[in-house]
Amino acid sequence: MTLGNFAFRVAKGLFTMEGDIKMTGAKGIWVFIESERDEIRKVSLETLCEARKLANGLNEELCALLLGDKVESLAELPPHYGADRVFLMQHESLSYHNVDAHLNVVANLVKENSPRILLFGSTPLAKELAPRLAAQLRVGLVTDAADVKIDASGKLVVRKPVYGGKAHATFACAPATPQMASVAPGFMDVKPPDASRKGEVVKLALVAGGKTNVEFIEFIKGDPRTVAITEAEMIVAVGRGLEKKENLSLIEELADKLGASIGGSRVAVDNGWVPAERQVGMTGKTVAPRLYIACGISGQYPHTVGMERSGTVMVINTDRNAPMFKLADIGVLGDVSQVVPAISKRLSEVIAPPKEKAQ
Amino acid sequence: MNIVVCVKEVPNPTFPVEVDIQKNAVKSEEWNYVINPYDEVALEEAVRIKEKFGGQVTVITLGAERAGAILRKCLCIGADRAILIPSDSAFAWDGFAIANVLSKAISRLPHDIVLCGYQSIDRGGAEVGSIIAELLGLPVVTAVVKLDIAPDGKSATVCRRLERGARAVKRSPLPALFTADLMLNEPRYPTLPCIKWALKQEIEKLDVKSLGVEAGPLTEFVTISRPPPKKVFIPTGALSPAERIKLLTGGGAAKKSSSNIVEGAPHEVAKKVVDFLAEKRFLL
Ligand SMILES: Cc1cc2nc3c(=O)[nH]c(=O)nc-3n(C[C@H](O)[C@H](O)[C@H](O)COP(=O)(O)OP(=O)(O)OC[C@H]3O[C@@H](n4cnc5c(N)ncnc54)[C@H](O)[C@@H]3O)c2cc1C
Ligand SMILES: Nc1ncnc2c1ncn2[C@@H]1O[C@H](COP(=O)(O)O)[C@@H](O)[C@H]1O
């Protein structure tokens, strides 16, 4: 595998603060930032916030690596979450699906700057990028971390689920730098952003393109109605509180408006409202969508164990004491058959025609 | 079309995993072992390609002597050659060390396609395939749910699983390495006569030392532990005793901001809910 082909220079531009990006010895913590729909991905923020703690412990700089096709508008955000510096590289060859281009760029940046630690959020891109980079650089990598620490000798120590989550194992990276880990989504907290925090944005230019082995042909959007529930981005889940099968059309309408998939509790499956492969819980599927809306689900443990890693949870229930409310970011005390159509109606007022949801 | 499939034996996932804190290991006496489910899918795909294009399928594993059993099963499913690189199966081998040895072995075999599983269900690094590809200088696409070889056998068009049901279609020249997602196919079962036949088959052995591997692992195993307890929610008097017991015995549920409860006329509630969804950027 040849590396060459790439050269970097610090470009002058809007945010540019020219500076020497070379550091002596292996120093600093880098976080590879990914964005989606003009937003930094949550797992990148989770990683960044965790990396801030490591950087504080080491008293070293925290750098965010922001590469991509159109990412310039996001460059001020990483400092709000703790980054001291942002390496920004915007180039059309750095599209999400071009792993080879990302690999070449990151490998070269690492060689020029010798960071001590390099962290990724565990995403489809990072799943290919991180192992290849680690192999190329001959450095240790632990994937899908639940926890990252630095031990007294300066080694990156990473705990991760093994045996399908039935145990956790801890590994330490060899001293070769950068020590690498990818962070599994949902294990670390995102601190509220501090908009007053500013960082230096170092704009890098991609001078020459590298060879790409794998050609990207097409992106195919998932269809929320047919996608496996474990892959769904948003889930509207129903329970006994749906009361009757006819009410399912109300749920379908809401799911359609949001671009969400439909799931259910065991009761919903037993009643034939939702197919068995869409059951959430202990004997069903474990899901972690960005949004989980529980409609008439009481929130018993065999159900919640399957959805507790969801991002935002909304609960609609007539019983104020339903345990499901304990998991809610927003709770609605009300009847599913009345609240759900009202939300759908409101949604059609706010969002005119349903917009394309692209990656 | 010559295909090499990397297969790994993993503990049967239906068996319980018990951590022995004193020994800093899992109790494995009662386990039995199976082919890593992703690797079974990879092998099935290899056999289908062979059935269409001809050629040879070689399965290779780095593992305990015991792993001969899963290699025999691979012969039943349609592999032509099975190679065992004997080693202790402890955590001493990390993804890099495994991939390093496998890549050396693969480089000695004819290969138009190398297939791995997307991940192993025990250690679950989802990394060995990509590392092998990097070490061999092969193009790689992981989490493949569809694999079509061009009629001329020179390239493959693959569908990669992304998040939320999305897919990326990519094309790669061959030779290349792909890792199989469970959705790629439905593996066949070996037949009983075949299992009997396979018992008598030779498993080739390859000594790690003969491969001239110079680099060792780049991560070291430190400890294994039970999964950390879930964030415990302290039940209040608002719950029935039965629910409290359920929550306590079940580990409890994490407590969030249950104070954010809206109620009232449906259209007013709906307005608040939609504002909330908009603020959290779910309506893009
Ligand atoms: C071994 C085992 C495994 C299990 N596995 C699973 C599993 O995988 N998944 C799973 O879900 N369950 C599972 N269960 C069952 C679980 O214990 C619960 O029985 C089940 O989750 C309850 O489903 P529910 O919340 O839909 O119904 P209920 O518990 O009956 O709750 C209905 C809720 O709807 C509310 N409600 C009623 N009417 C309305 C209305 N009109 N509008 C709004 N709210 C209303 C009620 O206040 C109540 O909170 C399992 C149980 C066991 C023993
Ligand atoms: N010891 C091994 N022997 C052969 N193949 C392996 C071994 N470990 C991992 N693999 C292959 O690499 C894939 C990914 O493994 P992992 O990176 O551990 O998740 C597996 O599905 C196998 O195809």
Side-chain angles (χ1 to χ4, degrees):
Chain A
M1 189 101 228
T2 53
L3 290 168
N5 289 355
F6 281 85
F8 303 96
R9 58 189 153 78
V10 178
K12 288 203 171 92
L14 267 183
F15 317 99
T16 311
M17 310 245 316
E18 293 221 32
D20 183 14
I21 59 168
K22 282 222 191 295
M23 286 176 260
T24 49
K27 245 189 169 163
I29 298 181
W30 283 17
V31 177
F32 184 84
I33 300 287
E34 289 180 42
S35 62
E36 184 179 46
R37 287 184 217 140
D38 298 326
E39 256 193 293
I40 294 181
R41 292 188 56 139
K42 183 153 174 268
V43 67
S44 295
L45 296 179
E46 288 167 1
T47 312
L48 196 57
C49 289
E50 199 62 23
R52 182 68 253 170
K53 294 185 207 159
L54 301 184
N56 289 346
L58 288 171
N59 200 15
E60 286 181 16
E61 193 176 54
L62 175 61
C63 295
L65 218 52
L66 184 61
L67 318 176
D69 188 1
K70 294 186 184 70
V71 288
E72 195 160 347
S73 61
L74 302 173
E76 295 146 73
L77 296 179
H80 299 173
Y81 294 90
D84 301 308
R85 197 194 288 239
V86 179
F87 285 156
L88 170 69
M89 187 187 286
Q90 182 163 288
H91 192 272
E92 60 191 18
S93 72
L94 293 170
S95 79
Y96 192 78
H97 303 283
N98 194 341
V99 185
D100 293 320
H102 281 91
L103 179 65
N104 286 326
V105 165
V106 180
N108 279 303
L109 280 175
V110 162
K111 283 176 194 161
E112 289 189 355
N113 300 285
S114 322
R116 179 201 287 268
I117 287 168
L118 172 56
L119 301 177
F120 294 80
S122 194
T123 64
L125 171 59
K127 290 241 177 197
E128 286 188 356
L129 180 55
R132 293 178 63 191
L133 182 66
Q136 208 177 85
L137 300 169
R138 293 285 196 282
V139 297
L141 162 72
V142 186
T143 56
D144 289 315
D147 182 58
V148 290
K149 289 209 163 50
I150 296 168
D151 75 3
S153 68
K155 274 191 209 148
L156 184 66
V157 178
V158 181
R159 178 168 56 76
K160 66 173 285 185
V162 289
Y163 299 107
K166 289 185 223 161
H168 279 220
T170 304
F171 300 92
C173 288
T177 54
Q179 307 179 77
M180 288 173 50
S182 71
V183 170
F187 281 101
M188 289 151 192
D189 297 325
V190 178
K191 283 230 182 98
D194 174 1
S196 67
R197 225 176 155 279
K198 296 271 179 286
E200 179 187 12
V201 178
V202 181
K203 224 171 153 186
L204 304 165
L206 181 65
V207 174
K211 188 168 155 286
T212 305
N213 282 320
V214 178
E215 178 195 354
F216 169 66
I217 297 173
E218 180 186 13
F219 174 81
I220 304 170
K221 200 167 70 120
D223 180 345
R225 282 166 299 189
T226 52
V227 67
I229 193 153
T230 45
E231 284 191 75
E233 178 183 19
M234 302 186 210
I235 296 173
V236 184
V238 295
R240 194 194 304 277
L242 184 70
E243 290 179 336
K244 49 181 193 269
K245 185 156 194 164
E246 292 74 64
N247 285 343
L248 201 61
S249 62
L250 307 174
I251 302 295
E252 284 164 352
E253 192 192 354
L254 175 62
D256 217 43
K257 291 245 150 54
L258 287 169
S261 306
I262 294 178
S265 71
R266 193 167 82 177
V267 172
V269 170
D270 289 348
N271 288 347
W273 300 337
V274 171
E277 70 270 13
R278 297 196 163 265
Q279 177 180 322
V280 174
M282 201 155 86
T283 44
K285 299 279 165 33
T286 301
V287 298
R290 274 208 311 142
L291 175 66
Y292 191 86
I293 305 184
C295 305
I297 295 176
S298 59
Q300 294 182 39
Y301 180 72
H303 183 80
T304 56
V305 71
M307 48 66 65
E308 63 195 356
R309 282 181 59 196
S310 303
T312 299
V313 177
M314 184 194 293
V315 173
I316 305 172
N317 201 303
T318 42
D319 176 8
R320 187 184 292 276
N321 294 324
M324 198 72 211
F325 277 122
K326 306 289 177 199
L327 283 174
D329 295 284
I330 180 166
V332 178
L333 197 62
D335 189 321
V336 168
S337 63
Q338 293 170 10
V339 173
V340 168
I343 297 174
S344 298
K345 182 160 174 280
R346 179 72 191 163
L347 280 173
S348 19
E349 291 161 15
V350 177
I351 40 171
K355 267 202 208 159
E356 283 286 285
K357 281 175 192 284
Q359 172 112 358
Chain B
M1 198 72 34
N2 290 306
I3 307 165
V4 178
V5 187
C6 300
V7 297
K8 182 185 184 186
E9 67 157 21
V10 293
N12 187 330
T14 59
F15 278 60
V17 173
E18 260 186 81
V19 176
D20 185 332
I21 309 250
Q22 246 98 58
K23 292 201 183 115
N24 196 21
V26 285
K27 293 180 187 153
S28 59
E29 299 88 44
E30 281 159 32
W31 282 355
N32 66 17
Y33 293 83
V34 295
I35 307 179
N36 182 37
Y38 290 86
D39 305 355
E40 227 172 338
V41 173
L43 174 61
E44 173 67 35
E45 197 67 17
V47 173
R48 288 185 193 184
I49 296 170
K50 180 185 80 170
E51 284 165 356
K52 208 162 151 195
F53 288 85
Q56 235 201 2
V57 174
T58 305
V59 287
I60 182 163
T61 193
L62 172 80
E65 291 283 344
R66 187 184 55 219
I70 63 147
L71 291 181
R72 288 202 168 80
K73 190 174 172 201
C74 294
L75 290 174
C76 286
I77 293 172
D80 303 288
R81 241 183 114 177
I83 301 173
L84 171 66
I85 308 173
S87 75
D88 55 59
S89 55
F91 270 137
W93 291 86
D94 73 345
F96 176 80
I98 294 169
N100 197 18
V101 169
L102 291 174
S103 68
K104 288 279 184 331
I106 294 167
S107 69
R108 297 179 174 191
L109 300 165
H111 57 273
D112 301 299
I113 301 177
V114 181
L115 292 176
C116 286
Y118 169 66
Q119 74 184 136
S120 54
I121 60 164
D122 52 356
R123 167 129 173 203
E127 57 185 349
V128 167
S130 297
I131 300 175
I132 293 173
E134 197 60 31
L135 296 176
L136 291 175
L138 292 176
V140 54
V141 181
T142 65
V144 165
V145 295
K146 202 160 173 290
L147 174 55
D148 290 314
I149 313 282
D152 67 2
K154 292 211 165 71
S155 68
T157 304
V158 299
C159 216
R160 178 176 193 230
R161 177 173 54 76
L162 302 171
E163 298 147 302
R164 304 185 291 274
R167 308 280 181 255
V169 183
K170 295 186 163 190
R171 188 179 301 124
S172 170
L174 297 181
L177 186 148
F178 304 111
T179 77
D181 188 76
L182 289 179
M183 282 181 240
L184 180 59
N185 61 44
E186 198 59 57
R188 69 193 72 179
Y189 290 103
T191 61
L192 195 60
C194 188
I195 293 172
K196 285 189 184 150
W197 164 84
L199 281 175
K200 293 188 226 103
Q201 299 309 302
E202 259 317 293
I203 301 291
E204 294 171 48
K205 288 205 183 137
L206 199 58
D207 189 355
V208 176
K209 288 191 210 87
S210 75
L211 290 168
V213 179
E214 74 291 348
L218 294 167
T219 61
E220 59 176 325
F221 165 69
V222 184
T223 59
I224 189 149
S225 56
R226 294 186 193 110
K230 306 222 166 62
K231 289 171 204 158
V232 178
F233 145 69
I234 314 292
T236 66
L239 296 174
S240 72
E243 277 167 336
R244 263 181 278 170
I245 288 165
K246 248 186 222 156
L247 283 168
L248 285 172
T249 52
K255 189 178 159 79
K256 282 196 177 173
S257 54
S258 46
S259 55
N260 188 13
I261 291 192
V262 295
E263 55 186 305
H267 70 277
E268 282 161 17
V269 168
K271 189 173 174 302
K272 287 183 193 151
V273 164
V274 172
D275 288 349
F276 174 85
L277 294 175
E279 183 203 310
K280 295 264 177 184
R281 301 183 59 104
F282 288 113
L283 307 185
L284 296 175

